[in-house]
Amino acid sequence: MKYECTLCGYIYDVVYGDPDNGVEPGTSFEDVPDSWVCPLCGATKDFFNKID
């Protein structure tokens, strides 16, 4: 599963997570803390859309 930031195009990939920002690999996007923001532009989770 992948999710794209609609502001900057960053891709959150569940396989890789975002370990540099405290999200372990394999963490579903729903389980990413609400306090997490896009590591590139700072957008909140509300700005991400699921992609195929």
Side-chain angles (χ1 to χ4, degrees), residues 10-28:
Y10 172 81
I11 304 293
Y12 174 83
D13 189 329
V14 172
V15 172
Y16 301 109
D18 184 16
D20 291 341
N21 293 294
V23 181
E24 294 298 318
T27 303
S28 71

Side-chain angles (χ1 to χ4, degrees), residues 38-50:
C38 177
L40 296 184
C41 73
T44 62
K45 287 175 59 178
D46 296 338
F47 288 93
F48 280 76
N49 289 330
K50 184 177 173 182

Side-chain angles (χ1 to χ4, degrees), residues 31-44:
D31 290 337
V32 171
D34 289 336
S35 60
W36 179 85
V37 295
C38 177
L40 296 184
C41 73
T44 62

Side-chain angles (χ1 to χ4, degrees), residues 3-14:
Y3 295 80
E4 181 178 19
C5 177
T6 58
L7 297 182
C8 74
Y10 172 81
I11 304 293
Y12 174 83
D13 189 329
V14 172

